[in-house]
Amino acid sequence: MSMARRMSGGSVPRIVLEHARPEQQPAIENMFQLYTHDFSEQWWDRADGELREDGRFAPYNLDPYWKEPGRIPLVLRLEERLVGFALLDDRSHTASGALDRNMAEFFIARKHRRSGVGTAAAQAIFSAYPGRWEADVARRNAGALAFWRNAIATHPNVSEISETDVANALWNGWVLRFRVGG
């Protein structure tokens, strides 16, 4: 069953969220290659992000998103065009209380960045899944920090925003916590 939610009005891009079906997993795997390519420039000092002999990056294990409770794979569209994906889970990078959703992975194709598509998609996701959220940003991904701060702060139903700088064995970066809805 596909869940579609549209945002419209003014200059806000019309985003469609689809709960990804198992047959859409290859499309997310393909987009994950682009996502990994984007991140690889931040991994200059570690083994992550090296190309394999087949010219591809190591695959990301997406299987849990169709098997484990609390995990949600989403395909993101602008109108009917595929523009990205989001992977949600309920795993916190802090020990700061209950959490309903975490933005585990979020990708918008480069063609659609800086056009409002990413913000509209993130906010559509927040609206579709109200509750207590975390969005985690790796320390080296400073550009993403500005994006997430804006996407969260400009959502009309977001409250209780806090930001924590975490540096431990499990996470190195910022954790933005917030509540969507009541």
Side-chain angles (χ1 to χ4, degrees):
M1 183 171 162
S2 173
M3 182 234 10
R5 173 130 347 182
R6 295 182 188 271
M7 290 188 66
S8 62
S11 63
V12 176
R14 287 176 39 101
I15 300 299
V16 178
L17 307 179
E18 293 178 8
H19 193 281
R21 299 177 311 277
E23 59 269 20
Q24 291 174 301
Q25 184 171 340
I28 296 175
E29 289 170 349
N30 290 337
M31 287 186 284
F32 223 100
Q33 290 291 303
L34 301 170
Y35 183 67
T36 301
H37 178 263
D38 287 350
F39 268 100
S40 68
E41 71 181 354
Q42 299 174 29
W43 299 332
W44 53 267
D45 62 341
R46 50 197 245 208
D48 296 324
E50 294 293 343
L51 289 170
R52 299 180 316 180
E53 285 303 310
D54 64 0
R56 295 176 56 83
F57 296 103
Y60 183 91
N61 183 12
L62 293 169
D63 291 340
Y65 285 91
W66 282 271
K67 295 178 181 174
E68 294 179 13
R71 294 190 185 236
I72 301 169
L74 298 171
V75 171
L76 309 176
R77 295 184 185 277
L78 176 60
E79 303 289 335
E80 294 82 30
R81 295 184 309 268
L82 185 63
V83 296
F85 69 86
L87 301 177
L88 313 181
D89 64 29
D90 56 3
R91 288 150 177 81
S92 175
H93 282 90
T94 68
S96 302
L99 178 70
D100 297 307
R101 297 281 174 247
N102 174 53
M103 186 69 73
E105 311 292 348
F106 182 83
F107 173 77
I108 299 293
R110 284 185 181 268
K111 176 180 180 172
H112 298 286
R113 293 182 192 169
R114 293 173 184 51
S115 67
V117 169
T119 299
Q123 291 182 347
I125 294 167
F126 300 154
S127 294
Y129 298 95
R132 293 177 189 251
W133 274 84
E134 272 188 12
D136 312 310
V137 181
R139 187 165 312 283
R140 290 182 178 171
N141 199 358
L145 182 59
F147 168 81
W148 286 111
R149 283 175 173 161
N150 178 66
I152 293 164
T154 60
H155 188 287
N157 295 321
V158 164
S159 63
E160 301 176 29
I161 302 170
S162 68
E163 188 173 315
T164 305
D165 186 347
V166 176
N168 60 37
L170 298 175
W171 186 247
N172 186 12
W174 297 274
V175 177
L176 291 91
R177 290 182 61 88
F178 54 100
R179 178 189 295 274
V180 179

